[in-house]
């Protein structure tokens, strides 16, 4: 995404905003969907929230309804093509040879060390064969990270080093800081700890806050963690945090920002860059912050 200063007047002129989006003239924001009311069907059928968690001792998956979710750890990481473990593969124990299985094992082992008996990993705790479940999970992702007891950020390309300068350089070059999905995973958790490729502790977000702000251009106050810390910043500022980050699919550049802007919408994989326009429309329904028009998808 690229910041384009003139887009406000250009967008209004070319798209006749007041006619197309009459709610922009209404200063009363429309009520937002509650976090558990996810629209997954054109008929606006609501999907009852279910969260899949991994038992950190047995590596078996159990489903929990929203109000009965136990304390859990959550993993943040970058995906490796063809090496991640799906929900079906974990159930059938057919992917123990994959690199991704090692990440699940290490995440669960660390959670047990932290006295947590449940963990959530995005690769295998979402049944991606179900479009309804995928929509619910992506719309709830920010909340999943925000409500976790602890988040482990696994940096597969960073080696532990006793030399602080070497480690700072390694962090600055890490792929984790360039991906679209890891933005909310950096901001949402109340407690975030970084781990090297060998699962050696590198310290928490608080320790690295100043350096992370330098790497990401995110204000240090936003790096204190949680939705409350992000509320103080404008739409344009939040969009700037996402600028330059990459996702495998164009749609995910928009879908990965849903929680950051506290909006929800159905997923339409195949729509390409139109997803960003839909994201803007949803944001405008609940905000009169005109700084949104400084941004377009590029």
């Amino acid at each position: 995404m690229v910041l384009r200063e003139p887009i406000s007047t250009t967008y209004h002129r070319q798209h006749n905003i007041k006619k197309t989006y009459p709610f922009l003239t209404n200063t009363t924001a429309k009520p937002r969907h509650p976090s558990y009311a996810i629209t997954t069907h054109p008929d606006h059928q609501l999907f009852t929230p279910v969260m899949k968690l991994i038992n950190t001792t047995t590596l078996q998956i159990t489903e929990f309804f929203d109000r009965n979710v136990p304390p859990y750890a959550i993993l943040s990481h970058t995906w490796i093509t063809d090496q991640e473990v799906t929900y079906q593969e974990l159930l059938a124990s057919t992917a123990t040879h994959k690199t991704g299985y090692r990440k699940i094992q290490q995440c669960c082992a660390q959670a047990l060390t932290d006295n947590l008996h449940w963990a959530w990993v995005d690769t295998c705790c979402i049944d991606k064969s179900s479009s309804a479940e995928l929509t619910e999970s992506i719309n709830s992702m920010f909340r999943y990270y925000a409500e976790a007891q602890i988040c482990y950020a696994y940096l597969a390309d960073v080696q532990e080093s006793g030399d602080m300068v070497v480690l700072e350089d390694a962090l600055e070059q890490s792929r984790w800081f360039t991906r679209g999905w890891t933005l909310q995973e950096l901001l949402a958790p109340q407690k975030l700890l970084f781990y090297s490729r060998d699962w050696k502790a590198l310290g928490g977000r608080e320790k690295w806050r100043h350096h992370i702000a330098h790497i990401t251009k995110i204000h240090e106050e936003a790096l204190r963690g949680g939705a409350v810390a992000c509320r103080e910043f404008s739409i344009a500022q939040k969009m700037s945090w996402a600028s330059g980050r990459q996702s495998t699919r164009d749609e995910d550049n928009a879908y990965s920002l849903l929680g950051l802007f506290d909006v929800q919408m159905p997923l339409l994989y195949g729509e390409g860059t139109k997803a960003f326009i839909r994201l803007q429309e949803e944001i405008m329904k609940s905000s009169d912050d005109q700084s949104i028009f400084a941004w377009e998808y590029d």
Side-chain angles (χ1 to χ4, degrees):
M1 286 179 289
V2 179
L3 180 63
R4 303 194 184 281
E5 294 294 347
I7 191 173
S8 178
T9 53
T10 303
Y11 196 93
H12 276 262
R13 183 176 65 253
Q14 292 180 349
H15 297 276
N16 192 9
I17 290 294
K18 287 185 179 179
K19 181 177 179 181
T20 309
Y21 307 113
F23 48 76
L24 282 180
T25 61
N26 183 356
T27 57
T28 303
K30 293 187 177 182
R32 303 175 184 177
H33 295 296
S35 61
Y36 52 83
I38 310 299
T39 303
T40 59
H41 189 275
D43 293 334
H44 302 290
Q45 178 181 359
L46 299 182
F47 189 84
T48 303
V50 175
M51 189 176 190
K52 292 180 170 65
L53 292 175
I54 307 168
N55 184 302
T56 54
T57 300
T58 66
L59 269 62
Q60 299 297 306
I61 288 182
T62 300
E63 293 184 345
F64 296 91
F65 285 95
D66 204 40
R67 295 184 179 180
N68 297 315
V69 174
Y72 61 92
I74 198 165
L75 178 67
S76 175
H77 63 119
T78 54
W79 288 29
I80 304 173
T81 304
D82 298 327
Q83 286 297 313
E84 302 301 341
V85 180
T86 67
Y87 169 66
Q88 287 78 14
E89 289 174 333
L90 189 62
L91 285 182
S93 299
T94 57
T96 55
H97 61 287
K98 289 187 173 183
T99 303
Y101 189 78
R102 170 79 172 160
K103 283 192 284 189
I104 296 170
Q105 285 180 311
Q106 291 296 325
C107 173
C108 289
Q110 185 59 52
L112 274 177
T113 299
D114 293 327
N115 200 32
L116 290 167
H117 302 289
W118 301 96
W120 191 89
V121 180
D122 56 357
T123 55
C124 58
C125 289
I126 304 173
D127 181 359
K128 299 174 185 65
S129 66
S130 166
S131 60
E133 182 171 333
L134 181 61
T135 294
E136 182 208 355
S137 296
I138 287 182
N139 275 273
S140 302
M141 196 81 71
F142 191 94
R143 180 166 61 90
Y144 288 173
Y145 280 88
E147 294 182 355
Q149 299 296 302
I150 189 169
C151 176
Y152 306 128
Y154 175 65
L155 310 182
D157 51 2
V158 173
Q159 179 65 48
E160 181 195 25
S161 173
D163 187 325
M164 186 61 69
V165 174
V166 171
L167 188 52
E168 286 179 352
D169 288 343
L171 287 173
E172 193 160 348
Q173 298 300 317
S174 179
R175 182 170 176 258
W176 190 87
F177 288 105
T178 69
R179 305 303 293 171
W181 287 106
T182 55
L183 175 59
Q184 66 178 358
E185 296 164 17
L186 168 65
L187 297 171
Q190 294 298 319
K191 185 176 182 181
L192 174 68
L193 299 179
F194 293 100
Y195 286 85
S196 71
R197 66 185 182 191
D198 297 322
W199 280 90
K200 303 296 184 182
L202 301 175
R205 181 181 53 207
E206 186 62 27
K207 171 184 176 179
W208 294 101
R209 189 154 53 92
H210 180 72
H211 192 59
I212 293 171
H214 168 72
I215 295 171
T216 63
K217 311 306 179 188
I218 296 173
H219 196 285
E220 285 192 46
E221 288 302 309
L223 294 170
R224 294 192 181 278
V228 174
C230 295
R231 282 194 199 121
E232 305 301 319
F233 297 89
S234 70
I235 291 173
Q237 285 175 301
K238 293 176 184 178
M239 287 290 185
S240 74
W241 303 342
S243 178
R245 288 178 176 258
Q246 301 173 343
S247 298
T248 303
R249 301 190 64 162
D250 284 338
E251 297 90 343
D252 285 335
N253 287 313
Y255 300 160
S256 62
L257 299 177
L258 293 175
L260 184 60
F261 292 105
D262 196 17
V263 297
Q264 297 168 336
M265 66 186 197
L267 309 187
L268 300 173
Y269 279 105
E271 67 177 326
T273 57
K274 291 180 180 178
F276 187 74
I277 297 174
R278 286 204 300 127
L279 172 65
Q280 288 180 308
E281 292 172 348
E282 289 301 318
I283 294 171
M284 288 188 290
K285 290 178 183 178
S286 59
S287 173
D288 58 2
D289 182 350
Q290 298 295 303
S291 70
I292 188 174
F293 294 115
W295 289 88
E296 68 177 358
Y297 185 83
D298 189 3

